Amino acid sequence: MRERSNSEWLLALRAGDQNQAVALAELREVVLGAIIKFLSRNETPGGSSLGHDLHQTAEDCAQEAIILIQSKLEQFRGESKFTTWAYSIAVRVTLGELRRRRWQKAAVNRARLGQDMPVWPTDAPEPERSLERRQAWALLVRLIENSLTPLQRKALVAHAFQGMPLDLVAEWLGGNRNSVYKLIHDARKRLKAALLSEGVTHQDIIATFSPQRKTYLSDDGKIFPSQSVSNTVGSGS
């Protein structure tokens, strides 16, 4: 298989003829290989192993990724190699599938979805820090209970605290991914406003639970010990 330029990929994938069929077959081969490598690299000894399902999982993810790549061709800006861009979409699809599998195996009381807030670990080496965390957590729980609509609270708690993937939240609530994304986005905006009315910013809350005690919010939330607090009042989904 010869290497194609970005323009050659786009031209062939939009052709609607035999050239498109050939390009799709080549792209599937590239994407499938990348997904198999990704899954093999992320198989951890003693962890949740895909075993014989690895190749079937890779096939399913590759098929979904190809469909998604085709639907997003207009969004490709040529700032990287086309195959690099395609890899990133394939990896996101694969991560989403792994999250769904973990969720299906998780010991979560399905009858309490969207209702049970966790008992959050607030212990810290310094007593004053522990007290600060307990107060911050109590405030956050109270505002989630009182400042959000029932549907916003249900979606936010299920996604941010009970680990339910966004597409499964959408299926559970009878909507689609975009509508649930907006629902959770609006819940975060309302929660941030409620915090400000208490004289607290969402950065203050996140910093309270950060061992580095940073006072800023990273876009991906990776500076924090757990995703749940940053997923609740942060910017990402």
Side-chain angles (χ1 to χ4, degrees), residues 47-73:
S48 176
S49 174
L50 293 170
H52 296 301
D53 289 338
L54 188 148
H55 283 273
Q56 185 58 56
T57 299
E59 292 275 359
D60 294 343
C61 291
Q63 181 63 31
E64 184 179 344
I66 292 298
I67 294 171
L68 194 57
I69 289 165
Q70 285 183 280
S71 73
K72 291 178 176 291
L73 287 178

Side-chain angles (χ1 to χ4, degrees), residues 64 96 100 164-172 175-177 180:
E64 184 179 344
R100 283 191 290 273
M164 193 177 195
L166 202 61
D167 54 345
L168 294 186
V169 176
E171 182 180 324
W172 173 53
N176 57 53
R177 183 184 174 90
V180 172

Side-chain angles (χ1 to χ4, degrees), residues 20-211:
Q20 183 187 49
V22 171
L24 283 172
E26 291 179 4
L27 183 60
R28 184 184 179 282
E29 183 180 341
V30 168
V31 166
L32 179 60
I35 291 173
I36 289 174
K37 287 181 182 178
F38 177 81
L39 289 174
S40 299
R41 201 165 55 239
N42 285 275
E43 287 275 279
T44 55
S48 176
S49 174
L50 293 170
H52 296 301
D53 289 338
L54 188 148
H55 283 273
Q56 185 58 56
T57 299
E59 292 275 359
D60 294 343
C61 291
Q63 181 63 31
E64 184 179 344
I66 292 298
I67 294 171
L68 194 57
I69 289 165
Q70 285 183 280
S71 73
K72 291 178 176 291
L73 287 178
E74 298 302 324
Q75 297 179 23
F76 178 63
R77 297 290 175 259
E79 296 169 353
S80 64
K81 289 179 64 176
F82 179 82
T83 49
T84 302
W85 177 75
Y87 291 159
S88 68
I89 292 176
V91 168
R92 287 200 300 273
V93 168
T94 306
L95 285 171
E97 176 60 24
L98 294 178
R99 281 194 296 269
R100 283 191 290 273
R101 290 182 179 225
R102 283 197 299 270
W103 165 256
Q104 288 164 354
K105 294 179 180 179
V108 176
N109 184 346
R110 300 306 200 257
R112 302 297 300 171
L113 275 177
Q115 299 180 53
D116 291 338
M117 290 288 285
V119 177
W120 200 255
T122 56
D123 290 340
E126 309 87 3
E128 65 276 9
R129 187 75 188 281
S130 294
L131 176 60
E132 184 183 46
R133 287 182 174 182
R134 286 196 296 273
Q135 291 173 335
W137 185 248
L139 173 63
L140 191 59
V141 169
R142 175 167 63 82
L143 294 180
I144 288 173
E145 288 293 324
N146 298 328
S147 66
L148 305 183
T149 69
L151 190 58
Q152 286 174 339
R153 182 170 60 252
K154 197 173 187 179
L156 186 66
V157 170
H159 179 56
F161 291 105
Q162 295 176 318
M164 193 177 195
L166 202 61
D167 54 345
L168 294 186
V169 176
E171 182 180 324
W172 173 53
L173 294 178
N176 57 53
R177 183 184 174 90
N178 288 339
S179 66
V180 172
Y181 180 91
K182 185 178 187 307
L183 179 68
I184 294 176
H185 175 73
D186 290 346
R188 290 195 182 102
K189 284 178 62 177
R190 184 176 287 205
L191 187 54
K192 288 178 183 179
L195 284 167
L196 286 176
S197 71
E198 300 277 346
V200 180
T201 69
H202 70 282
Q203 290 97 335
D204 293 333
I205 292 290
I206 294 173
T208 300
F209 291 92
S210 170

